Amino acid sequence: MSRSIGTGDARKAKAWLVCLVLAGISFVVIVLGLNTGTIRIPPLRVLDTLFGGGSGRDHMVLFEYRLPRIVVTVLAGAGLGAAGAVMQGLSRNALADPGVLGLHAGAALGLIMFVSFFRDLEGSAALLIPLFTFAGGIIAAALIVLLSYNRSRGIVPVRLILSGIGVASGLSAITLYWSLRLDEDTYAFTARWLAGSVWGRDWVHAAALLPWIVIVLPYVLSQTRSLNNLSLGDETAAGIGTNVKRQRLLLLGAAVALSSASVSMAGGIGFIGLIAPHLARRLVGPMYQHLLPVACFVGVVILVTSDTIGRSLFQPNAIPAGVVVAVVGAPYFLFLLSRTK
């Protein structure tokens, strides 16, 4: 008994240490991201400007252009990392990811519906974008669950992946059809969004994403015990007092909300929900009270770094962060697929 308690304390201490290290890396990457762009601002001057110093030009560049984008990438990275961890826990499938499962395809359809009706991505109308992407994500999730459900076995993990691929293809076809009906400028925006371009660059975009992360993420973090139980299997989870159907439905809705809201402002970025939980699991183990916070930090590091690389190394023609993530994520997915029975 004392040995298990000591092991638990050691894992908790390790998780805290990993979170602190990742927080430090995140801070460094954020400062470098604030320095990236046409106008170079040295890191020390970035810090000085953030704390009230700096010139008027530095203040304008940071607070009106770069900082809102950084806030969006931080929130979206944390949301995608957490959503991926939840999806892998609910499905008990190491390949589960909001993008692979088709949730991002549903979010893309929701975004297309928004731009078809509103045509305005700025101002107060932008606050409604996560609602549309969430509705699209819910439609995709409902279709995937219906197609992968078996009366005797419940949700079959293998069917979940295959159903997600099929649903994603169908919804992507509908999205493409609707996008071809848009005007040239709006179509260009949707094409960049689908490529994973971080387009949320104003404070209103950060404000549109913030409530979804601030409200839903703490709920998910409070449900780590349920996630630990569900990862053991439905029968075992029910035997130790977990309301399997209710918890799975609530956590699935939370994962859809996090992923759909995140991609609504950060573009259709895939693979973060796959990579972040895997790296977190290697760092701190499979217990969700440790894994979830670390997955959030890893998601932040990946997305902010990818966006910074895309904007800095390929100037003046910046490439979308989603392309940078895919360069690493696609081979990693194939590697995991080759090792999965």
Side-chain angles (χ1 to χ4, degrees):
M1 181 71 177
S2 60
R3 179 178 296 179
S4 62
I5 294 175
T7 303
D9 290 339
R11 289 177 178 174
K12 184 177 180 180
K14 181 180 179 181
W16 274 105
L17 178 60
V18 171
C19 285
L20 288 174
V21 172
L22 289 173
I25 295 174
S26 301
F27 178 77
V28 172
V29 172
I30 288 170
V31 172
L32 292 176
L34 291 172
N35 181 41
T36 300
T38 305
I39 301 175
R40 295 283 183 176
I41 304 176
L44 291 179
R45 207 159 79 214
V46 167
L47 295 176
D48 183 42
T49 305
L50 290 176
F51 289 102
S55 65
R57 188 196 68 166
D58 294 342
H59 190 278
M60 181 188 68
V61 169
L62 287 182
F63 285 92
E64 295 187 22
Y65 294 99
R66 294 183 186 171
L67 195 57
R69 182 183 183 124
I70 289 292
V71 171
V72 167
T73 54
V74 168
L75 294 174
L80 290 172
V86 172
M87 293 301 297
Q88 290 180 14
L90 294 179
S91 63
R92 302 191 302 278
N93 192 318
L95 300 179
D97 163 74
V100 175
L101 292 180
L103 299 184
H104 290 180
L109 179 61
L111 183 79
I112 289 294
M113 294 297 104
F114 176 86
V115 297
S116 297
F117 288 109
F118 289 90
R119 308 269 179 173
D120 186 10
L121 298 166
E122 309 296 334
S124 58
L127 298 174
L128 298 176
I129 297 176
L131 288 175
F132 278 75
T133 55
F134 176 63
I138 284 292
I139 292 172
L143 290 173
I144 293 166
V145 169
L146 288 174
L147 292 172
S148 61
Y149 185 80
N150 182 283
R151 288 186 178 182
S152 59
R153 299 171 58 190
I155 297 177
V156 182
V158 174
R159 284 190 184 180
L160 199 68
I161 297 292
L162 298 177
S163 300
I165 294 173
V167 169
S169 299
L171 293 179
S172 296
I174 297 173
T175 300
L176 179 61
Y177 169 76
W178 274 101
S179 64
L180 292 174
R181 297 164 59 93
L182 300 173
D183 60 78
E184 185 176 345
D185 291 339
T186 310
Y187 175 78
F189 163 77
T190 57
R192 291 194 303 270
W193 187 95
L194 291 171
S197 177
V198 178
W199 70 276
R201 309 177 182 189
D202 294 329
W203 285 113
V204 67
H205 301 139
L209 178 56
L210 182 64
W212 294 78
I213 305 300
V214 169
I215 294 173
V216 181
L217 186 55
Y219 167 75
V220 170
L221 292 172
S222 71
Q223 299 299 310
T224 54
R225 182 176 179 181
S226 295
L227 283 166
N228 286 331
N229 295 341
L230 290 170
S231 64
L232 299 175
D234 291 358
E235 293 183 1
T236 303
I240 56 181
T242 302
N243 189 332
V244 174
K245 291 185 178 179
R246 179 176 179 273
Q247 288 300 108
R248 175 172 280 121
L249 184 63
L250 290 174
L251 287 168
L252 178 61
V256 173
L258 288 172
S259 62
S260 299
S262 297
V263 299
S264 70
M265 296 299 163
I269 296 174
F271 295 114
I272 289 180
L274 175 74
I275 299 173
H278 273 274
L279 294 179
R281 196 172 288 110
R282 287 179 175 272
L283 290 171
V284 296
M287 303 301 290
Y288 272 85
Q289 63 267 34
H290 306 146
L291 187 152
L292 259 175
V294 174
C296 292
F297 277 113
V298 173
V300 170
V301 172
I302 292 174
L303 185 52
V304 176
T305 302
S306 299
D307 185 50
T308 302
I309 290 174
R311 289 188 293 120
S312 61
L313 296 186
F314 300 93
Q315 288 185 357
N317 299 316
I319 65 172
V323 175
V324 179
V325 175
V327 168
V328 178
Y332 191 67
F333 176 77
L334 295 175
F335 168 72
L336 292 175
L337 186 63
S338 68
R339 298 189 60 183
T340 302
K341 297 182 180 180

